[in-house]
Amino acid sequence: MAHWFHRNPLKATAPVSFNFYGVAGSPSANKICNDLRTNRARLLEMFTDVTCNPEIMKNATDAYFSLLQGFITALDGTTQENKMRFIQNFRWTDTLQGNTPSAQQDAVFELVSMAFNVALWYTKFASRLAGKENVTEAEAKDVHRSLKVAAGIFKTLKEVHIPRLITPAEKGRDLEPRAMDTYIIQCQAEAQEVTIARAIELKHNATLIAALAFETANFYQKADHTLNTLEPECSGKWRKYLELKQHFYMAYAYCYNGQTLLASDKCGEAIRSLQEAEKCYSRAEALCKEYRQTKGPGSTAKPSEQLFFLKLGGLIKNTLEKCQRENGFIYFHKVPAEAPELELKASYGLAEPIAFELPPLSEQCTPEVYATFDLTKGAKNDKAKPKEAEVKPVKEPDLKPQKDTGCVIS
């Protein structure tokens, strides 16, 4: 399903030379600096390489982070800060703030910013894979896993690494709690969408599908509410996407809840549940139009053009008509004025983030080599340069729509 997911842009960054002339006092220290520069540049290239897959991305990430930790982890046997942590200035843009970068002279800022982009790459890889014409079961599992990996990276950054920053993230920036929480929740919700599509394809129990849809709708509502204090010009489009997905999955929940009620001979309640599904679906359709018309960062998803979206409208209509026919011939139940309260709890299929762990410290980063970095020599680094050039946005590959075959993932 091409264009099913909204994606904010990748973070852009200024080049980093890691040229610490004088400070790097040995061939081994110079090699670490050269390898940092090379591995950083390669990892940045992987973000826009359409041939990159999770294995390649993990290898590129591990290669860079194993060396970068040599500027973060204390290597001299003390509990003091690594003496190299604050030697290099790093500049990164934010996904919601255009081309205006944030800058910190802190290797931890580089770690969390680069890892944030790695998480974004996993969400974009999942979106690209889900957009294929015929998604196999193995590919559907890769989509599901990639979204849970992304959620795990965002979660670990928020809980473990971002609190280590000396300078806290400014409001509206990627690394502040509201944005981080929204990214985590969105990844979990989208992973559950894969589970729902699979459950529908295999004709699982209507109660299970209703419960999963209800939980997923609640995730999207929670994500939307998390952003409600951010400036509308940077978060408005993202929020419209979260809101339309909330109403779409509420429509699913009420539709399959109606099927469950009909199977339990509660035809009047089933009709009311399906009427509520119609209402939610109509609201989702309206929000799709509002979302397309709202200006803001990120790619524009087109959910209302997908078969998965369109099929639900037909399913609600047909199921409601069936219930009304049955009620007119068999049950003669009164249709309640109020929609049924959904108290659904999914026992299976809920997506949990996959824990993110940094790779082991590179074997190049030994206490002996660390001792040859001499800060008293003074580095001619990026800090000494005149006014820095604008950080250019990342040119991302186009996601070309393919023929949509619905939610066939088997």
Side-chain angles (χ1 to χ4, degrees):
M1 295 182 292
H3 302 300
W4 179 252
F5 301 117
H6 172 89
R7 291 292 175 258
N8 288 327
L10 286 164
K11 295 164 74 69
T13 182
V16 179
S17 66
F18 293 102
N19 287 332
F20 304 131
Y21 302 112
V23 171
S26 70
S28 294
N30 275 316
K31 186 175 188 316
I32 287 175
C33 295
N34 289 335
D35 288 351
L36 275 167
R37 180 176 63 253
T38 303
N39 287 332
R40 185 182 197 264
R42 180 171 184 271
L43 179 52
L44 292 172
E45 286 175 5
M46 289 301 100
F47 292 143
T48 55
D49 186 343
V50 293
T51 65
C52 184
N53 59 37
E55 183 182 0
I56 295 171
M57 177 54 66
K58 187 175 189 317
N59 290 339
T61 302
D62 286 355
Y64 182 53
F65 285 168
S66 66
L67 286 168
L68 186 63
Q69 286 182 89
F71 283 14
I72 297 172
T73 306
L75 300 177
D76 56 3
T78 71
T79 57
Q80 294 183 337
E81 290 286 2
N82 187 308
K83 65 185 178 184
M84 299 296 290
R85 175 175 169 180
F86 304 110
I87 193 173
Q88 175 70 57
N89 191 44
F90 298 96
R91 300 168 68 221
W92 284 90
T93 62
D94 292 86
T95 57
L96 302 178
Q97 300 291 341
N99 294 337
T100 305
S102 300
Q104 290 196 35
Q105 194 148 326
D106 185 349
V108 172
F109 178 67
E110 166 72 356
L111 173 71
V112 295
S113 298
M114 187 68 82
F116 188 102
N117 245 18
V118 172
L120 279 182
W121 178 86
Y122 274 100
T123 70
K124 289 170 184 283
F125 173 78
S127 182
R128 192 164 64 245
L129 195 56
K132 289 185 64 176
E133 188 169 326
N134 288 300
V135 181
T136 65
E137 183 176 342
E139 288 169 335
K141 286 180 178 176
D142 283 344
V143 173
H144 190 251
R145 178 176 173 77
S146 294
L147 291 165
K148 293 196 296 180
V149 167
I153 296 172
F154 287 131
K155 188 170 187 285
T156 302
L157 292 179
K158 177 180 180 268
E159 294 175 355
V160 179
H161 301 292
I162 291 173
R164 296 182 62 192
L165 289 171
I166 303 299
T167 306
E170 299 172 29
K171 288 183 178 180
R173 298 287 180 178
D174 289 335
L175 305 182
E176 67 119 316
R178 291 172 297 181
M180 294 301 298
D181 283 337
T182 304
Y183 276 113
I184 294 166
I185 299 164
Q186 179 179 337
C187 288
Q188 288 180 271
E190 290 178 348
Q192 285 179 198
E193 289 193 59
V194 180
T195 306
I196 292 168
R198 178 72 173 165
I200 292 168
E201 193 71 25
L202 296 180
K203 296 180 170 54
H204 276 291
N205 187 292
T207 305
L208 171 64
I209 296 171
L212 276 171
F214 182 61
E215 299 266 20
T216 303
N218 286 340
F219 265 138
Y220 278 118
Q221 183 181 48
K222 184 179 178 184
D224 176 39
H225 288 176
T226 303
L227 289 178
N228 64 6
T229 53
L230 279 183
E231 293 297 323
E233 56 265 27
C234 65
S235 65
K237 189 177 188 68
W238 195 8
R239 289 194 64 193
K240 286 291 181 188
Y241 166 77
L242 298 171
E243 195 180 350
L244 77 84
K245 282 292 186 78
Q246 177 209 337
H247 283 83
F248 178 69
Y249 281 101
M250 281 303 291
Y252 252 117
Y254 276 114
C255 178
Y256 278 88
N257 183 60
Q259 292 184 18
T260 302
L261 290 168
L262 179 61
S264 303
D265 296 324
K266 298 177 179 177
C267 198
E269 292 177 46
I271 290 171
R272 188 63 189 87
S273 189
L274 285 151
Q275 288 172 341
E276 196 65 21
E278 269 193 329
K279 182 178 167 186
C280 291
Y281 186 77
S282 295
R283 180 63 183 138
E285 285 184 310
L287 282 164
C288 284
K289 292 177 184 174
E290 291 177 29
Y291 165 74
R292 283 197 299 270
Q293 292 165 0
T294 303
K295 288 183 168 43
S299 62
T300 299
K302 301 171 184 174
S304 60
E305 297 177 10
Q306 311 302 320
L307 281 179
F308 189 61
F309 191 97
L310 297 169
K311 280 180 179 178
L312 177 58
L315 180 65
I316 293 169
K317 180 176 179 291
N318 293 338
T319 311
L320 178 56
E321 287 175 356
K322 178 186 175 182
C323 288
Q324 288 169 334
R325 282 197 308 271
E326 297 292 309
N327 204 41
F329 279 109
I330 302 169
Y331 295 104
F332 304 103
H333 289 170
K334 184 179 179 181
V335 178
E338 296 295 323
E341 195 72 34
L342 293 181
E343 295 179 358
L344 304 169
K345 192 77 180 167
S347 303
Y348 308 99
L350 295 179
E352 288 298 325
I354 294 174
F356 169 66
E357 293 183 3
L358 289 172
L361 182 68
S362 170
E363 292 178 356
Q364 293 175 244
C365 302
T366 65
E368 293 75 24
V369 175
Y370 179 73
T372 66
F373 283 99
D374 186 356
L375 296 188
T376 64
K377 302 293 186 183
K380 298 175 183 176
N381 64 2
D382 294 348
K383 183 176 67 170
K385 288 183 179 180
K387 186 181 177 184
E388 294 160 316
E390 180 186 25
V391 177
K392 294 180 180 177
V394 179
K395 185 169 176 52
E396 300 186 40
D398 290 331
L399 181 63
K400 291 182 177 142
Q402 301 186 40
K403 183 181 175 184
D404 186 13
T405 55
C407 60
V408 178
I409 55 173
S410 56

